[in-house]
Amino acid sequence: MSLSRLSSPQLYSRAFIVARGAATGHATTTSDNSISFFEKISYRFKGIPLPTETEAPKSMFDACNKEWSAPELLPAVPKDFKEHPDRDLVNYPYPSRPMYPPKSRLLMMPDSWFTPFQKVTGTSGPYLFFGGLFAFLVNKELWVFEEQGHMTVGWIIFYLLVSRTAGYKIDAGLYKDYQERVGFFKGLIQEDLKEAVDFRKTSAKQSDSLTALKDNMPTSLKESMQLQLEAAYRKNIQTISSEIKRRIDYLKETEETKARFERDQLLRLINESVEKQVSQKDFQEKFLQNAIQQLKGIAV
């Protein structure tokens, strides 16, 4: 940055002309040979393209002295949120986390140190007070400024250089990492919520099925009772039919046995009476002679 300050006004005008020509697309008469080495370095620090370049070079100092601001504010705590019912939010409210650091002066001094003096002494009063206090402490050797003090000043200067040069990129990178981490935890929460939603849907379906079962329970019980009665009726019919068949078979067998017995008895009586008649002499003389005569007549 010091080289750019040492450059001449002609360099500024020439750089402006080159930058305007590169932006508008018009060619410039200036060439790289007409620009000195230090002018090229100044161009690079300012981010101005050379005459032969179509685009401005990307500089590592683009983010110098830029203040980073988050695209989204931090979520505030709900007003009615209480971790316990006895929490007193009136006298002991939740501390709010500031999104940005407090206002500062001289790159690092808090503005709250200057405001009370400024109301009384004016704008330059706080600077004179702290400068005089520092000079008094060093002069009277109340604060011995040894090598540790030089190291402290060096560290302060190093912090200011880093914060003003790479602070913007560091804050942007940290915010990006923070967003990725928050996105990761949000993904875990979404998975848990998905499981909860699926469980709720399953529970709702089960509740609906139980309600439908409860509504259709009388009908199902009635149909089940009818099926049981039908099964009992068919079983009784089968039992009665088998019992009737058994009894009919018994009666049939009894009648057949009775008829067979009567036939046997009748045949036996007939045989006995016939044998008795045949065994008599009158039967033989009376019937045998007649049978012999009939046979002879048949033979003729």
Side-chain angles (χ1 to χ4, degrees):
M1 299 301 290
S2 60
L3 293 175
S4 63
R5 293 176 182 178
L6 294 174
S7 58
S8 60
Q10 290 80 7
L11 178 61
Y12 283 102
S13 61
R14 186 183 300 173
F16 177 74
I17 294 172
V18 173
R20 184 176 63 181
T24 57
H26 298 290
T28 58
T29 58
T30 307
S31 63
D32 290 346
N33 296 328
S34 62
I35 301 175
S36 65
F37 176 74
F38 294 101
E39 289 178 346
K40 290 181 180 180
I41 295 176
S42 178
Y43 276 29
R44 284 291 181 258
F45 269 91
K46 291 182 178 181
I48 300 174
L50 296 176
T52 57
E53 294 177 346
T54 57
E55 296 180 358
K58 187 176 181 181
S59 175
M60 62 180 295
F61 301 102
D62 292 340
C64 286
N65 205 24
K66 291 178 64 177
E67 295 291 340
W68 180 84
S69 60
E72 297 180 0
L73 297 178
L74 292 174
V77 180
K79 295 181 179 179
D80 56 347
F81 174 76
K82 290 184 178 182
E83 74 275 10
H84 194 272
D86 297 337
R87 175 63 186 263
D88 186 7
L89 296 178
V90 178
N91 299 321
Y92 302 97
Y94 290 104
S96 59
R97 181 180 179 183
M99 187 67 191
Y100 303 102
K103 185 178 179 181
S104 61
R105 297 187 184 184
L106 300 177
L107 301 177
M108 57 178 298
M109 305 299 292
D111 184 70
S112 60
W113 293 5
F114 295 79
T115 304
F117 295 93
Q118 186 174 349
K119 293 180 180 180
V120 179
T121 61
T123 305
S124 60
Y127 301 98
L128 294 176
F129 172 76
F130 286 108
L133 180 62
F134 174 75
F136 174 78
L137 294 176
V138 173
N139 186 23
K140 299 302 180 182
E141 294 186 356
L142 297 177
W143 177 26
V144 179
F145 201 74
E146 299 177 349
E147 62 273 9
Q148 289 84 1
H150 294 85
M151 292 177 62
T152 304
V153 174
W155 280 111
I156 292 174
I157 295 174
F158 176 75
Y159 164 75
L160 293 176
L161 288 174
V162 173
S163 63
R164 292 298 170 179
T165 55
Y168 179 84
K169 294 183 179 180
I170 292 174
D171 291 339
L174 292 176
Y175 182 77
K176 183 179 179 181
D177 295 339
Y178 168 76
Q179 289 295 103
E180 292 178 354
R181 187 169 181 81
V182 170
F184 172 73
F185 286 111
K186 285 184 178 180
L188 296 178
I189 294 172
Q190 289 296 331
E191 291 180 359
D192 295 340
L193 290 177
K194 183 179 179 182
E195 294 180 357
V197 170
D198 295 340
F199 176 75
R200 180 177 292 181
K201 291 181 180 179
T202 305
S203 300
K205 291 181 180 179
Q206 291 179 355
S207 299
D208 295 338
S209 62
L210 290 175
T211 304
L213 180 62
K214 183 179 179 180
D215 295 337
N216 298 325
M217 184 61 72
T219 306
S220 61
L221 288 176
K222 185 177 180 180
E223 293 177 355
S224 178
M225 186 62 66
Q226 290 178 355
L227 291 175
Q228 292 179 5
L229 291 175
E230 183 69 20
Y233 173 75
R234 291 179 181 274
K235 183 177 181 181
N236 294 334
I237 293 295
Q238 185 69 24
T239 303
I240 292 172
S241 62
S242 60
E243 185 67 20
I244 291 175
K245 183 177 180 301
R246 187 181 66 80
R247 292 189 180 187
I248 290 174
D249 293 340
Y250 174 75
L251 292 175
K252 181 180 179 181
E253 187 177 355
T254 303
E255 293 294 332
E256 289 177 355
T257 304
K258 183 178 179 181
R260 186 173 60 253
F261 180 76
E262 290 178 353
R263 186 177 67 252
D264 294 340
Q265 292 295 327
L266 182 60
L267 289 175
R268 188 173 62 79
L269 292 176
I270 293 173
N271 291 331
E272 290 178 357
S273 61
V274 170
E275 290 177 358
K276 187 177 179 180
Q277 291 290 334
V278 170
S279 61
Q280 295 179 3
K281 294 181 178 180
D282 296 338
F283 179 79
Q284 294 178 358
E285 294 177 358
K286 184 177 180 178
F287 290 99
L288 285 178
Q289 293 299 328
N290 187 12
I292 291 169
Q293 292 297 329
Q294 289 180 359
L295 291 174
K296 288 180 178 182
I298 293 171
V300 174

